Each structure stands twice: as C-alpha cells, then as structure tokens.
Amino acid sequence: MKIESLTKFWPLIYSVIQEFWNSTEPHIEDAAVRNDIPIELYLYSELGLDRFSIKDFQKRDPYSNPEQFERLFVRLHIRGWIEPMSDGSFRVTTKAREAARTLIQAGDVQLSDFACLQDQDLKRLLSLLKQVVMECCITPEPPGKWAILKRFRVADEHYPTIMQIREYLMDLFAYRDDSHLSASRPQFNEAGIVWLVLSGLWRGDMVNAEQMAEKMAFRGYDVAEYEIAIQAAMEIGWVEPGNRPDAFQLAEQGRQIREQAEQLTDAYFYGPWSVLMPNELDELYGLLTQLRDGLNVYRKVGQTSHRVGA
C-alpha cells in the first residue's frame, strides 16, 4: 500500500478532533473554574498523569520553553496536586487524576445526545479505529511509542460509542506526535525552538521573530529568543534572509530537511494502517467525514438551543 494514498487521512482526523474540542473544551474550562481545578491537569493529561518531570514532558513537547513547566510544577505542588520525589520529578496525586477525569467527563457529557450518525455507523467507525490504534501499539519501532502509551485515557468500553471514538482519535493524535518526533528529533536534538523556526517558515505563516513570538505565544519564548534561534538556523544553513529586511525564508537545505521529516512522519504514522483492507480504508474515510460534518452541525444546533433557552 502506497503511503501517498493515505496522507489524506491525517488532515481529516485532525479536523474531527478540532470539532470534538469545539464541543467539549468550553465546558471543560467552565468545569475547571467551577470546581477550582487547574486547567493544566486537563491539558497535560495527554502527557500522562502518573509522574511529572521536565524530562518526561519533553518526550512529547520538546518545543516549549521548559521554564513554563518548572513554574507549573511549583504552582501545582503548592496546591497539593503533585508531590516531589527524590529524583526531582513529581508524583501526580490520586486527587489530581480524579480531578482531570472530572474535567474530561465534563466535556464528554456534551456528546451524550449526538445522533447525527446512526448507531451502527458509529460502532463500525469505532471498530475500524480500534484496529488501527491496536496495530500502532504493537508495530515495531520506529516510531517510539511514548505518547500513545503514556496518555491518560478515560473513555473505556463502558462509555458511549461517541466518547470511545474521541478517545481513539486522541490515541492517533498521540501516535502522530510519536511519529513526527521519531522523524525529526535527530535533526534538532535538544534545540526544539530551532525546529519551531524551521516549521514556521516551512508553513509560510510567519517570517520573522516578532510573528513567531506572537503566533506561538503558548510556547513561552520571547522575540529575542526567536531571533537567536533564527540566527542559529542560518548558521547551519537552514534559513536565509528573505525578500525584505524583516523577513526570513527557508534555504534549500532547510526545506529539504523539513520535507524529509514530514515524509518520514507519514511513513511511520501510516505504517500500521496496512491492517485495513482498501475497501475498509474507503469506508473509514467516509465515516470520518460524516462524523466531522455531524459534529459541526451538532455543535451549532447546541449553541442555537442554548441561546434560545437563555
């Protein structure tokens, strides 16, 4: 099976995940405020909820400023959500895990009335996704499987089908990260910010340090740090001056490295998909498309009903 025939799946999967987020995350945020629970317990549940450490966090997120993680650990420790261990890491308390579960369930419950797909179609979609995810978990490395195995899962077989589907899609999101890190990390090692520069210029939606600091504010780096990273990327031949004084662009070497990493990411990510037959892949694509469109309608109807009820 040619990888090129599968590359349409990840953009579709990510669009479905975004629709799930659009429906659930406003309620998760409300529940966090209402119950005085740090929203970070939800956000970082994707990195596992047994132990927190910069080393572990950077296994999935080597791009963000590690100082952000240090400040977070201090805040969570002060409030008793995590406890320090002798090796410098922090044990996540049972209270914290249950709080994260409460937040995730506050989002999932918003999906309870979803009926835009017939039950048999949802169950078929679940079956196909489960086959792919199970194959991802047993496929020999590379890629590594830290993210897909580490993430905190809530919706098991006892949950409604739509919630299990969301969980499996988040497993695939994690495996996509595993695949990309296995493909790209040999290029940047510990200099994640340099890879941010390379990727930003590769996408074409930012051309200088000011734009990077603004559009990637959640990464925790300032303009000066991006300027240093751009200079580092220029010194190794990845980046060159652009067509105006305040702009930069990828050099040919940088473009090749970034595109090769994307191709290898796809090769790793789609390798396990051979578990499905061609007709099953077509069926999966159709069902995912229906789910994305159905979630979009479901969310908009829900918003309208809320306004009318108000």
Side-chain angles (χ1 to χ4, degrees):
M1 183 184 305
K2 292 185 177 180
I3 296 298
E4 292 78 10
S5 65
L6 299 174
T7 54
K8 63 183 180 181
F9 273 95
W10 173 244
L12 176 58
I13 288 172
Y14 188 64
S15 69
V16 177
I17 290 172
Q18 287 179 309
E19 287 296 339
F20 274 120
W21 285 339
N22 289 338
S23 291
T24 61
E25 289 199 335
H27 301 277
I28 290 172
E29 292 167 0
D30 288 345
V33 173
R34 188 169 58 251
N35 294 285
D36 194 24
I37 298 172
I39 192 65
E40 289 87 355
L41 291 179
Y42 160 69
L43 297 174
Y44 289 111
S45 66
E46 286 297 315
L47 279 66
L49 284 179
D50 50 359
R51 186 180 71 166
F52 281 1
S53 71
I54 292 177
K55 180 179 179 181
D56 279 354
F57 274 30
Q58 289 187 318
K59 288 180 179 178
R60 186 166 182 182
D61 182 10
Y63 315 110
S64 297
N65 190 336
E67 293 180 3
Q68 289 191 143
F69 302 148
E70 293 176 351
R71 292 191 292 268
L72 170 65
F73 297 161
V74 170
R75 294 200 308 271
L76 294 179
H77 174 221
I78 290 173
R79 296 188 57 189
W81 297 105
I82 59 177
E83 298 174 345
M85 300 176 67
S86 59
D87 63 357
S89 66
F90 292 85
R91 183 182 69 84
V92 180
T93 65
T94 300
K95 178 183 76 168
R97 282 191 292 275
E98 290 310 307
R101 188 184 304 275
T102 295
L103 296 184
I104 294 169
Q105 290 173 336
D108 276 351
V109 74
Q110 306 306 316
L111 306 171
S112 300
D113 297 328
F114 179 80
C116 296
L117 268 72
Q118 295 184 2
D119 189 56
Q120 63 186 23
D121 290 333
L122 287 174
K123 289 181 178 178
R124 179 57 175 162
L125 175 56
L126 177 65
S127 174
L128 293 170
L129 288 173
K130 183 177 181 178
Q131 290 181 66
V132 175
V133 170
M134 293 300 100
E135 192 69 15
C136 288
C137 292
I138 64 173
T139 296
E141 297 185 7
K145 297 175 179 62
W146 192 89
I148 192 172
L149 298 179
K150 189 76 170 178
R151 61 177 299 268
F152 182 66
R153 303 180 90 258
V154 171
D156 59 20
E157 67 273 13
H158 302 296
Y159 279 67
T161 305
I162 187 66
M163 300 177 193
Q164 294 184 58
I165 288 172
R166 180 200 61 76
E167 199 75 83
Y168 279 124
L169 288 173
M170 292 304 296
D171 287 334
L172 289 177
F173 190 10
Y175 193 67
R176 183 73 184 186
D177 279 358
D178 282 332
S179 299
H180 186 65
L181 281 169
S182 291
S184 62
R185 194 153 201 167
Q187 300 293 341
F188 67 84
N189 296 315
E190 302 303 316
I193 187 174
V194 176
W195 195 254
L196 289 180
V197 166
L198 189 73
S199 295
L201 294 174
W202 179 70
R203 290 192 302 269
D205 58 349
M206 53 193 85
V207 297
N208 56 42
E210 288 77 9
Q211 291 179 355
M212 293 174 186
E214 178 183 355
K215 295 185 178 182
M216 296 188 289
F218 65 97
R219 295 296 185 190
Y221 293 112
D222 59 27
V223 173
E225 289 167 312
Y226 279 113
E227 289 175 341
I228 293 171
I230 290 172
Q231 183 61 39
M234 292 180 68
E235 290 174 359
I236 58 177
W238 288 4
V239 172
E240 62 188 16
N243 54 12
R244 66 175 199 260
D246 64 338
F248 297 89
Q249 63 187 25
L250 288 186
E252 185 57 32
Q253 180 184 355
R255 187 176 308 281
Q256 289 179 4
I257 287 173
R258 187 59 183 81
E259 290 178 353
Q260 288 169 3
E262 198 69 12
Q263 291 167 5
L264 190 54
T265 296
D266 284 341
Y268 289 156
F269 180 69
Y270 292 114
W273 292 57
S274 60
V275 71
L276 298 183
M277 300 297 291
N279 63 307
E280 292 177 315
L281 289 168
D282 291 341
E283 186 181 8
L284 175 58
Y285 192 85
L287 290 170
L288 285 169
T289 301
Q290 292 180 51
L291 177 59
R292 179 199 61 197
D293 297 343
L295 285 167
N296 183 267
V297 171
Y298 179 71
R299 174 173 53 86
K300 291 178 179 178
V301 170
Q303 290 174 342
T304 302
S305 299
H306 180 74
R307 286 196 296 268
V308 172

